[in-house]
Amino acid sequence: MEYPLPIAQLIDSYMKLPGIGEKTATRLAFYTLDMPMQDVSDFAQALTNVKSKLHQCSICGNITEQDPCSICSNPSRDQTMIMVVEQPKDVMAFEDMGEYDGLYHVLHGVLSPMDGMGPEEINIKSLITRLQKQDQVKEIIIALNSTPEGESTAMYISKLIKPAGIKVTRLAAGLAVGSDIEYANSITLKRAVQGRTSL
Amino acid sequence: MEYPLPIAQLIDSYMKLPGIGEKTATRLAFYTLDMPMQDVSDFAQALTNVKSKLHQCSICGNITEQDPCSICSNPSRDQTMIMVVEQPKDVMAFEDMGEYDGLYHVLHGVLSPMDGMGPEEINIKSLITRLQKQDQVKEIIIALNSTPEGESTAMYISKLIKPAGIKVTRLAAGLAVGSDIEYANSITLKRAVQGRTSL
């Protein structure tokens, strides 16, 4: 027996989310059927809003309701530093840390030729344009994940920017705080030894 | 840093789904942000439709777009048997099996005094009314889960219906096909022995 059309369509939509297969999607669709009307209409509204009300900041590429975003338009932030991150989520993570008060630049991806992600597909060009306009920038901190794609994107950006005389740094690699040496992989250990600091 | 409001609202909505915590909801919300506009608006529409276009069949309680549902309004189905199930999903499961061509009655729950589910909260009254009207019914098959709540609901319905002279049966309990005796629990084994059939 086919599911009634509205249920079948909702199952299809849930299945488009990452990590949700047919069984889970079906369970979620039937659960939705029993949810209070208000919760479901709020959910539908939230889905629509997230696409219609959020945009990329024209300066840094972070997601925002106003353009420019609250970080780019805040004059009390340190205008001499730009931290380059992959995703808007990463900006949230560094803001939650609370120790960094410079600016950001969100690439929306990393270089990955296998997935068709070249320099044109990510937000690199706007970073260069930005550096030409904002000549007070002294340091670019590259805060990309320690994956092969992250590393090669870091190298690419570094090569583009260094000739302009701007300092390019990247995050320290090493043991995560609270982690166990026994379970660390050998590349992490190698980086931890290379980057050892004096006590 | 707070998430922009539209993202925060979508995270809240995802968190109302079963088995989805804050981390997963955040991941889904950011994923939604990068989904094609069409997929997101289809998703929002499907959510709205599932609440507005589906109703309970006034006869059997199954979810349906038309009332009465396609099963109740099909005269070629066996009108002498009603299978009592807990959820609309169970109807789908039996229809997929393809061996049963009687009618259904969907309780939308089982008796569970601890959760405030008494006979008034589930679709039992409408079953009795239905049996008074449809006097061709000869057998009620109780197809509820083998949980304490399912068993006590089965007993309750059986006691209500038996005085009317209608046969009440329930699904066979025993080993699932393809399962391993080694891993079966003792109640299942007890039922399998009690219900043994001759070869």
Side-chain angles (χ1 to χ4, degrees), chain A residues 57 59-60 64 66-77 79 103 130 134:
Chain A
C57 169
I59 301 175
C60 71
T64 175
Q66 308 91 32
D67 190 23
C69 73
S70 60
I71 296 175
C72 287
S73 57
N74 182 351
S76 72
R77 294 192 73 113
Q79 310 285 321
L103 306 173
R130 184 177 175 188
Q134 297 178 291

Side-chain angles (χ1 to χ4, degrees), chain B residues 59-60 103-105 126-134:
Chain B
I59 300 176
C60 72
L103 306 173
Y104 292 94
H105 198 84
S126 64
L127 176 63
I128 306 304
T129 322
R130 183 176 176 189
L131 291 176
Q132 284 159 352
K133 279 189 211 154
Q134 298 177 287

Side-chain angles (χ1 to χ4, degrees), chain A residues 1-7 9-10 13-14 16-20 26-37 39-54 62-65 70-71 87-89 91-92 95-96 108, chain B residues 1-7 9-10 13-14 16-20 26-37 39-54 62-65 70-71 87-89 91-92 95-96 108:
Chain A
M1 183 189 187
E2 297 284 297
Y3 287 112
L5 188 66
I7 280 274
Q9 285 171 337
L10 187 56
S13 286
Y14 275 129
K16 292 201 172 121
L17 297 174
I20 294 185
T26 306
R27 193 166 59 94
L28 292 179
F30 277 100
Y31 183 87
T32 309
L33 196 62
D34 294 333
M35 273 167 69
M37 187 63 204
D39 284 356
V40 177
S41 63
D42 285 352
F43 191 0
Q45 192 60 54
L47 282 168
T48 313
N49 285 350
V50 92
K51 292 299 276 188
S52 64
K53 291 200 181 165
L54 291 179
N62 194 11
I63 51 158
T64 175
E65 285 185 274
S70 60
I71 296 175
Q87 299 291 351
K89 273 184 285 198
V91 173
M92 313 288 170
E95 288 298 289
D96 282 343
H108 290 276
Chain B
M1 186 189 185
E2 297 283 300
Y3 289 112
L5 189 65
I7 279 276
Q9 284 171 337
L10 186 57
S13 285
Y14 275 128
K16 292 202 171 120
L17 297 174
I20 294 184
T26 306
R27 192 166 59 93
L28 293 178
F30 277 100
Y31 183 87
T32 309
L33 196 61
D34 293 333
M35 274 167 69
M37 188 65 205
D39 284 356
V40 177
S41 63
D42 285 352
F43 190 1
Q45 192 60 52
L47 282 169
T48 313
N49 285 350
V50 93
K51 292 301 275 188
S52 63
K53 291 201 182 164
L54 292 178
N62 193 10
I63 51 158
T64 174
E65 284 185 273
S70 60
I71 298 175
Q87 299 291 353
K89 270 183 286 195
V91 174
M92 313 290 170
E95 288 297 291
D96 283 342
H108 290 278

Side-chain angles (χ1 to χ4, degrees), chain A residues 74-82 100-104 136:
Chain A
N74 182 351
S76 72
R77 294 192 73 113
D78 185 345
Q79 310 285 321
T80 65
M81 285 199 242
I82 295 179
Y100 177 76
D101 82 332
L103 306 173
Y104 292 95
Q136 70 275 51

